[in-house]
């Protein structure tokens, strides 16, 4: 019998880690063949389903970093270690990390946009020889919203990684950068232009203006990669919700080169 | 092989066919129309010639046969997922040539698009055979000839009814047996060659992202009310949304379903937190129009729209789809002149 | 000049302010007529009257400026019209050449109805004609109007009997796509009788007023109307006038046409039994005020077969105002 693409596999939660007040990382016991940037459809029976990026993965687990914002995600907030989540996927295309080999890679992430790129960062964190340099430009709304704080600290330690961390609004204890991600683009080293690849993931407005900012520094469209978030119901090109022009974000995306992304109109 | 059957004997044929097939055809539901004392003509089960309405265009298309409005995908029982049963019933649908062509469009989405086939669609679709009703006159709003969907070779039976007789061409050998006792004839199917409406769809290369911002769509922001009728009646609209429910009498048990969705209807692009992408009705009109006559073709080499005219028939705001295509053509012309 | 004024008025002629001059009221049951009758009206107006027609509030015509001496001739001229529009729908009119046999029971008026209107639930002209056939000719003063829906364009609320069309919505959950149009519209335009449960719609029968908004708005025909019979709301005892103008109030909801006809017929018997014959005339509404609603109700429902869906008012308090209670006003001049 053909496998029913809509029936999830029930997977056990093996750990839950708070990242902020509303974001939690769930580690699920599943051996899944995932690419960086792909997503899975996560579900709770009788509640619903939603697409969530795989924020990290290993041989026998995947991590999902989930913000509690609606019907399904709020219900996930009530789950505990040992409970199960329905999973199907992985879906979508993921980032072409083979194209980043040996390059000066810049990853600009805004808010939860860090989740889908975290596994790439960790990949190059663990394999420094695969890359020439890695610069992270990470923006959050405020210090309380900073995700993966201990991992960011770990990346900051690494010799081959530069981290620029900024928040839109600081607070009394915050001693770091304040301001939008776009304002920090110029701090990046723009010497060997041809060897650069830029990954930008975040809210639509952030992706748009950050891309323009990089292009002002003569980064070509072909060097920029973004990841789209659109309403999804099926994740496999059937339900229509995610379509933009002739492109299904769930199938050909969510990751697009800017040359393609710029022509995708809602 | 063609046969002529007396009308009075056709019901015998239908009952023989019914031993193996559920039969769907255009049929008239008395006083069930939206307005009082009007009928609703739609596809439903029939068992006699009398029940089939050969002369009206149905309000809704036959797509429900393979893409039900509400469809249970599987049941939840505690941690278990139980796939909804496949009844496995074979189906014969009486339909028009444009509607056969509409099934090809649905096939593209459900069977070809994305990484996997949609098994729920497939298991229904595999069991459908077409009985094409000769359609040489069409209706006021049809433009199938313009869309190249006025003809089809994909049928098991082709049928034409007259006052006294029913002419049938049988292509499907498995069905000839039922007609064995009938008089053979030299009937050959005919197709409509000219509609009352014509329209030329723009060439792919003529559509640029500049046209997405064209003034022509703004008019529809004022006219369209986002009711979604144009989506629900369309034989090729294939969008849907997943829904989970739990039964009121037993919270442990529930099901996951899908129901039709439509890109004109509020919520279609709305994400958690209320972020919405196509908020104006003009944007939705542009999105639908281009899906029907442009980007589907870019992806699958055929236009999605089959020119059935239903979206025009039902629009409470008298928005004509042909009218929209013509405006688009005009905008392309102006763009070219300016550029 | 000598004239039996009472008989004259029953013949649908009016005593006007000009001595010796009258006006003829022409009934148009259901407010709908074949255009050919206008030629007759034109001829009478131009030959006998002052060349004008007045369109009355009850959807009739008044042919003004007719010398009282011409009445017999006018009656002959108007005969084909009375024959077509009254005898033609089954009204027992007597000899049409004698003019109208009565005037007390007024023309049964109707909005345009579902011949044209998308909201209307039934053919209002047909119902008006059916009522006309049942109650006319009659001298008792009863006003009836029928509206296709609860928008009440004919102002049935101002009548002794007002009939409004209702829909009994029937829901097919399979066809519902959870678009929300019905829920939203019922909330905005009706009574908020609908809500979602498990993505499907549930109707609160007690809140639903049968307006049919849900049926009209549904993009999949998940809502249709119960087509096994027609349902109506029957309003009673509204009026204008000098003493106590008031809106008619609902007496029966989801009632059938046959029951309405029976009730109207019985009302004439009720009037006959309870009318105060010491007065020159007494409107039915004032009779009900005298006897009390319960007496009226028991009388007119006695033996009437009501359908199971029908809901009957327990008691009715008519709003409106008494014209003699005017402590709200202050004179401008000293
Ligand atoms: C490719 C992709 C990757 C994502 N990765 C993450 C992630 O790693 N972490 C995270 O917290 N969120 C992620 N999101 C957003 C996440 O899908 C939504 O927050 C989630 O669907 C909200 O579901 P809900 O039922 O809680 O909210 P509701 O508002 O109740 O949503 C109802 C339904 O609408 C759809 N929907 C609503 N919002 C979205 C949305 N933003 N995107 C797609 N479908 C939506 C879903 O089918 C959802 O079940 C991702 C979205 C996409 C498209
Ligand atoms: C001799 C007595 C009366 C005569 C001749 C008379 C005549 C009329 C006429 C000709 C009309 C217009 C009918 C039409 O449009 O066809 C009318 C309307 C009306 N009459 Fe009288 N009337 C009389 C007494 C009364 C009384 C006593 C009342 C109230 C207590 C009354 C209440 C009304 C009302 C409310 C209307 C408004 C039309 C409507 O019902 O929609 N009338 N009358
Ligand atoms: S004419 Fe309208 S309803 Fe018919 S296929 Fe084209 S878009 Fe759909
Ligand atoms: S027109 Fe809209 S509803 Fe129809 S298939 Fe296209 S996206 Fe879906
Ligand atoms: S049917 Fe007409 S009004 Fe309704 S959504 Fe479609 S275009 Fe808009
Ligand atoms: S008939 Fe009117 S009141 Fe009743 S559910 Fe429908 S919209 Fe609401
Ligand atoms: S309008 Fe029709 S489809 Fe929409 S929610 Fe109501 S019943 Fe369902
Ligand atoms: S999510 Fe259903 S088509 Fe993309």
């Amino acid at each position: 019998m053909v496998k029913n693409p809509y029936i999830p596999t029930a997977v056990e939660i093996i750990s839950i880690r708070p990242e902020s007040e509303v974001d939690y990382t769930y580690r699920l016991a599943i051996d899944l063949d995932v690419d960086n940037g792909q997503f899975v459809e996560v579900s709770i029976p009788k509640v619903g389903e939603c697409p969530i990026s795989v924020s990290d993965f290993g041989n026998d687990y995947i991590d999902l970093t989930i913000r509690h914002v609606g019907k399904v995600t709020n219900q996930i907030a009530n789950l505990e270690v040992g409970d199960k989540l329905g999973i199907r996927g992985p879906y979508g295309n993921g980032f072409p990390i083979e194209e980043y080999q040996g390059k000066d890679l810049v990853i600009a992430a805004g808010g939860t946009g860090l989740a889908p790129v975290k596994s790439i960062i960790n990949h190059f964190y663990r394999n420094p020889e695969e890359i020439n340099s890695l610069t992270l430009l990470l923006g959050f709304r405020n210090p309380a919203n900073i995700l993966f704080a201990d991992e960011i600290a770990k990346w900051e330690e690494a010799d081959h990684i530069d981290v620029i961390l900024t928040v839109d609004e600081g607070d009394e204890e915050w001693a770091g950068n304040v301001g939008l991600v776009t304002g920090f683009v110029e701090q990046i080293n723009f010497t060997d232009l041809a060897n650069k690849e830029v990954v930008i993931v975040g809210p639509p407005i952030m992706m748009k203006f950050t891309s323009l900012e990089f292009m002002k520094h003569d980064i070509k469209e072909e060097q920029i990669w973004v990841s789209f978030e659109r309403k999804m119901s099926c994740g496999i090109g059937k339900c229509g919700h995610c379509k933009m022009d002739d492109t299904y974000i769930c199938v050909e995306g969510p990751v697009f080169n800017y040359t393609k992304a710029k022509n995708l109109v809602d | 092989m063609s046969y002529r059957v007396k009308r009075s004997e056709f019901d015998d044929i239908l009952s023989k066919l019914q031993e193996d097939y559920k039969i769907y055809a255009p049929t008239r539901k008395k006083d069930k129309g939206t307005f009082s004392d009007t009928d609703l003509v739609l596809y439903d089960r029939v068992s006699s010639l009398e029940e089939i309405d050969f002369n009206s265009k149905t309000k809704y298309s036959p797509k429900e046969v393979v893409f039900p409005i509400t469809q249970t995908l599987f049941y939840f029982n505690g941690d278990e997922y139980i796939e909804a049963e496949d009844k496995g019933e074979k189906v014969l649908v009486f339909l028009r040539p444009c509607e056969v062509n509409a099934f090809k469009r649905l096939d593209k989405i459900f069977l070809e698009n994305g990484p996997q086939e949609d098994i729920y669609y497939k298991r229904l679709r595999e069991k459908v055979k077409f009985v094409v009703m000769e359609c040489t006159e069409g209706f006021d709003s049809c433009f199938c000839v313009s869309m190249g969907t006025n003809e089809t070779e994909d049928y098991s039976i082709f049928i034409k009814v007259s006052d006294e007789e029913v002419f049938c061409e049988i292509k499907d050998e498995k069905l000839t047996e039922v007609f064995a006792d009938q008089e053979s004839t030299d009937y050959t199917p005919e197709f409509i060659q000219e509609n009352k409406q014509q329209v030329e769809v723009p060439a792919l290369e003529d559509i640029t992202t500049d046209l997405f911002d064209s003034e022509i769509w703004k008019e529809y922001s004022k006219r369209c009310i986002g009711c979604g009728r144009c989506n629900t009646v369309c034989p090729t609209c294939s969008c849907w949304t997943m829904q989970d429910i739990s039964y009121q009498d037993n919270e442990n048990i529930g099901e996951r379903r899908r129901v039709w969705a439509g890109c004109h209807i509020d919520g279609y692009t709305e994400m958690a937190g209320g972020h919405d992408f196509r908020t104006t009705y003009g944007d939705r009109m542009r999105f639908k129009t281009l899906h029907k006559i442009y980007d589907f073709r870019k992806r699958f080499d055929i236009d999605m729209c089959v020119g059935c005219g239903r979206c025009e028939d039902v629009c409470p705001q008298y928005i004509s789809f042909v009218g929209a295509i013509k405006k688009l053509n005009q905008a392309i012309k102006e763009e070219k002149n300016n550029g | 000049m000598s004239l039996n004024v009472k008989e004259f008025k029953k013949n649908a002629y009016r005593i006007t302010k000009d001595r010796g001059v009258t006006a003829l009221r022409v009934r148009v049951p259901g407010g709908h007529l074949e255009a050919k009758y206008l030629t007759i009206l034109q001829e009478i107006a131009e030959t006998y009257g002052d060349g004008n027609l007045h369109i009355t509030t009850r959807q009739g015509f008044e042919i003004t400026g007719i010398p009282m001496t011409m009445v017999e001739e006018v009656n002959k001229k108007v005969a084909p019209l009375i024959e077509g529009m009254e005898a033609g729908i089954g009204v027992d009119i007597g000899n049409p050449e004698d003019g109208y046999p009565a005037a007390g029971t007024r023309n049964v008026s109707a909005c345009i109805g579902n011949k044209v209107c998308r909201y209307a639930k039934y053919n209002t002209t047909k119902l008006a004609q059916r009522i006309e056939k049942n109650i006319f000719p009659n001298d008792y003063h009863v006003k009836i109007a029928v509206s296709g829906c609860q928008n009440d364009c004919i102002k049935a609320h101002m009548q002794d009997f007002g009939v409004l069309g209702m829909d009994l919505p029937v829901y097919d959950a399979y066809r519902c796509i959870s678009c929300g149009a019905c829920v939203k519209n019922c909330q905005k335009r009706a009574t908020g009788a609908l809500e979602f449960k498990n993505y499907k719609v549930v109707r609160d029968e007690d809140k639903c007023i049968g307006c049919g908004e849900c049926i009209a708005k549904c993009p999949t025909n998940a809502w249709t109307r119960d087509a096994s019979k027609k349902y109506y709301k029957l309003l009673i005892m509204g009026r204008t006038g000098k003493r106590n103008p008031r809106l008619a109030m609902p007496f029966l909801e989801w009632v059938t046409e046959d029951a309405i006809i029976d009730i109207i017929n019985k009302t004439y018997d009720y009037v006959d039994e309870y009318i105060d014959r010491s007065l020159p005339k007494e409107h039915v509404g004032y009779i009900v005020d005298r006897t009390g609603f319960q007496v009226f109700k028991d009388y007119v429902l006695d033996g009437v077969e009501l359908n199971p869906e029908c809901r009957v008012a327990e008691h009715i308090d008519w709003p409106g105002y008494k014209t003699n209670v005017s402590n709200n006003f202050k004179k401008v001049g000293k």
Side-chain angles (χ1 to χ4, degrees), chain B residues 224-230 264 285 288 311 314-317 319:
Chain B
C224 171
I225 56 170
C227 70
R229 283 166 173 71
C230 52
H264 270 267
M285 185 70 189
K288 175 190 70 185
C311 50
V314 296
C315 179
Q317 302 303 312
I319 290 169

Side-chain angles (χ1 to χ4, degrees), chain B residues 169-206:
Chain B
E169 191 211 4
I170 318 298
K171 264 199 184 175
D172 185 334
E173 310 231 314
K174 295 204 187 75
L175 300 176
T176 42
E177 201 184 306
V178 180
F179 290 85
D181 300 338
Q182 302 295 334
E183 185 190 336
S184 69
T185 178
D186 57 357
Y187 167 68
T188 40
E190 282 180 50
F191 300 98
I192 189 167
Q193 297 306 329
E194 195 179 346
N195 300 123
K196 290 181 191 133
Q197 297 203 87
Q198 281 99 32
V199 68
E200 202 178 321
V201 295
L204 290 184
E205 58 274 17
D206 282 344

Side-chain angles (χ1 to χ4, degrees), chain C residues 171 176-182 196 201 218-220 222-223:
Chain C
Y171 182 63
C176 173
I177 60 168
S178 325
C179 75
C182 58
F196 278 113
V201 183
C218 181
T220 58
W223 285 112

